[in-house]
Amino acid sequence: MNEIFDDSTLTEIAHLICGDETPLLYRKGYEIAAFFQRAGWDDVPEYDGTPRHKWARELLKERQEDATDDAEHAILRLANRLEYYNQQQEYHATLKRLNEVLVLDGRRIGEDGGQPVLVRCEAGFEDEVRQLPRVELKVSVTEVVSDPELAATVQLRLDEARTCYEHGAYTSAVIMLGSLLEGVLAHAAQVRASGTRMPKPLRNMGLNDFVDFAYENKWIEHDAKLASELVRHYRNLVHPLAEKRTGHTPNRDTLDMCWPVVNATLNDLAATAAAPAVPPSVCAPAERARGRNPNASTQRPTPASVARRRPGGGPVAGT
């Protein structure tokens, strides 16, 4: 199906092709014709001396009315680095302005295998289109998962969650994040819990069990434990009936809340990777019921304290 662009979008695209404003790349009339040829257009007419912007705009509109993909091809050529040999400033200025124009029409420029592609997004002004939320992921997956094969799988799921987020597939993204979170916590329980009594057989544990176990063993902080409940809730929407019961479909706000939870948990797991397993402390039933350990402030390792125990006392490595 051909992409259909608003007339105002095509008008702005014609301005970008002409490049009359600095620091955009300026093109003379014959260079505009050559640009369309590089974009893959057939039968591009010679420039006829008409004002350049008018000529480019009319060609874009004609090709769209002819139900071709030529307008899309021209847009993608504008975003292609090959169009800007040794002209990095012009490339970045064009790409920035191009996304400001496209986002009003519900698109933006993404990448697939290093090549520009058009991606659907929520229509709005560029400064209103939110990027991935930050609590920043300060570590690599290999700092959390010691099994190389599993680490590659976890990294792939993290990448796929990002792709889903960028394409507006929010339910798929949050399910992917929940799966990733359960996988890394299950791995931590498997490799760190030597000599520690498991609450149930590993194969019978779910995400909630792994979160509680990681917290009791001081592998994750209290905020990560509490917030992980949100990820677990939305991960369960892998079952359509669960989504029907809740009456809510994940949206961008959902991911903006869930993604930092995953980042914080991965940061905590990496920071405590060198710490020995700490069995849950024996405390009064009332304290345990509230999830509190009266000695936690003195016993529980923090990312900073773990870093100090590492050789050289340097900070936790980041990416």
Side-chain angles (χ1 to χ4, degrees), residues 181-190 198-217 219-220 269:
L181 190 63
E182 182 169 344
V184 296
L185 289 171
H187 174 73
Q190 187 174 33
M198 304 288 287
K200 61 178 72 172
L202 191 68
R203 63 181 179 274
N204 295 334
M205 292 176 66
L207 179 54
N208 194 52
D209 299 315
F210 286 124
V211 168
D212 288 344
F213 189 64
Y215 174 69
E216 289 174 1
N217 282 280
W219 301 335
I220 63 174
L269 288 172

Side-chain angles (χ1 to χ4, degrees), residues 48-89:
D48 61 6
T50 304
R52 292 175 306 115
H53 175 261
K54 179 180 178 181
W55 188 73
R57 182 190 62 201
E58 291 306 313
L59 281 179
L60 289 166
K61 292 176 67 175
E62 287 174 8
R63 297 295 173 117
Q64 178 160 282
E65 290 169 0
D66 290 341
T68 71
D69 290 328
D70 285 352
E72 178 182 351
H73 293 162
I75 290 170
L76 293 177
R77 186 66 193 184
L78 272 174
N80 195 317
R81 293 178 180 87
L82 294 175
E83 191 67 22
Y84 305 89
Y85 177 73
N86 204 28
Q87 295 167 311
Q88 191 174 25
Q89 181 182 12

Side-chain angles (χ1 to χ4, degrees), residues 51-287:
R52 292 175 306 115
H53 175 261
K54 179 180 178 181
W55 188 73
R57 182 190 62 201
E58 291 306 313
L59 281 179
L60 289 166
K61 292 176 67 175
E62 287 174 8
R63 297 295 173 117
Q64 178 160 282
E65 290 169 0
D66 290 341
T68 71
D69 290 328
D70 285 352
E72 178 182 351
H73 293 162
I75 290 170
L76 293 177
R77 186 66 193 184
L78 272 174
N80 195 317
R81 293 178 180 87
L82 294 175
E83 191 67 22
Y84 305 89
Y85 177 73
N86 204 28
Q87 295 167 311
Q88 191 174 25
Q89 181 182 12
E90 289 85 347
Y91 164 72
H92 287 298
T94 301
L95 188 61
K96 180 177 184 298
R97 179 60 182 152
L98 182 58
N99 273 322
E100 289 172 350
V101 171
L102 290 174
V103 74
L104 295 172
D105 211 357
R107 283 90 151 181
R108 64 176 181 77
I109 297 295
E111 281 199 2
D112 183 7
Q115 296 300 311
V117 293
L118 275 176
V119 177
R120 290 279 179 177
C121 68
E122 296 176 6
F125 291 99
E126 175 68 5
D127 59 0
E128 296 174 348
V129 177
R130 290 162 288 180
Q131 302 299 318
L132 282 177
R134 299 185 182 275
V135 179
E136 291 186 3
L137 181 61
K138 300 178 181 179
V139 298
S140 66
V141 169
T142 54
E143 292 177 72
V144 181
V145 180
S146 58
D147 179 345
E149 186 175 351
L150 180 60
T153 299
V154 170
Q155 182 63 59
L156 180 61
R157 297 202 175 191
L158 191 61
D159 294 342
E160 289 187 0
R162 179 181 293 272
T163 299
C164 290
Y165 179 95
E166 292 177 346
H167 287 253
Y170 303 123
T171 301
S172 297
V174 77
I175 290 171
M176 194 68 66
L177 288 179
S179 169
L180 181 158
L181 190 63
E182 182 169 344
V184 296
L185 289 171
H187 174 73
Q190 187 174 33
V191 301
R192 300 188 191 188
S194 177
T196 303
R197 183 180 178 183
M198 304 288 287
K200 61 178 72 172
L202 191 68
R203 63 181 179 274
N204 295 334
M205 292 176 66
L207 179 54
N208 194 52
D209 299 315
F210 286 124
V211 168
D212 288 344
F213 189 64
Y215 174 69
E216 289 174 1
N217 282 280
K218 315 302 183 280
W219 301 335
I220 63 174
E221 300 282 352
H222 191 250
D223 54 358
K225 174 185 183 297
L226 292 178
S228 292
E229 174 62 24
L230 181 68
V231 179
R232 185 185 71 84
H233 169 78
Y234 281 107
R235 193 281 309 268
N236 288 340
L237 298 187
V238 67
H239 306 291
L241 288 177
E243 183 172 336
K244 179 182 177 181
R245 285 194 298 269
T246 63
H248 174 66
T249 298
N251 54 30
R252 184 186 289 265
D253 289 334
T254 308
L255 266 294
D256 286 349
M257 291 186 289
C258 290
W259 204 295
V261 177
V262 175
N263 286 350
T265 303
L266 292 174
N267 290 340
D268 286 353
L269 288 172
T272 57
V278 180
S281 300
V282 177
C283 56
E287 293 291 337

